[in-house]
Amino acid sequence: MAAPKVVRLAEYRQNTQQMHIDDISAQAFLFLQEQAQEHDLPMRALLREHLLGLACVVKAVEGLDEAQNWLAMISDEINHAGSIEIQ
């Protein structure tokens, strides 16, 4: 029996969305790297400050519990090298 050639629309949309998220994330990283080099800043310090700023925004907009959930997911990702899904 031949494999079905039907692509599930939800799966296609999710894959397309993830592709765009990955692309935008890569562009953001490259921008930060370029700016760090241009201003002779340590990339590690810039990334740490950027992540702290993101966590503060999540806390301000979504609340402390949601910020802690995000940090827990990030911690799990670092510890287990699995994939995370932010909703």
Side-chain angles (χ1 to χ4, degrees):
M1 184 178 215
K5 295 183 180 182
V6 177
V7 176
R8 293 180 16 172
L9 185 57
E11 185 178 319
Y12 172 78
R13 285 183 179 154
Q14 184 178 7
N15 290 341
T16 301
Q17 184 180 41
Q18 187 61 51
M19 181 182 66
H20 290 303
I21 289 169
D22 293 344
D23 185 50
I24 292 167
S25 294
Q27 289 178 40
F29 177 81
L30 291 173
F31 173 76
L32 290 173
Q33 185 178 45
E34 178 182 294
Q35 291 298 302
Q37 289 172 350
E38 185 175 315
H39 296 282
D40 196 28
L41 299 170
M43 184 65 174
R44 184 179 178 132
L46 181 62
L47 286 175
R48 186 175 42 244
E49 187 67 26
H50 183 64
L51 290 173
L52 179 59
L54 291 172
C56 289
V57 168
V58 171
K59 180 182 173 188
V61 174
E62 301 287 336
L64 177 61
D65 289 342
E66 188 62 18
Q68 289 174 333
N69 288 338
W70 281 38
L71 292 173
M73 287 189 313
I74 291 167
S75 180
D76 286 346
E77 172 69 18
I78 290 168
N79 291 329
H80 301 103
S83 61
I84 59 173
E85 184 177 319
I86 297 176
Q87 299 175 353

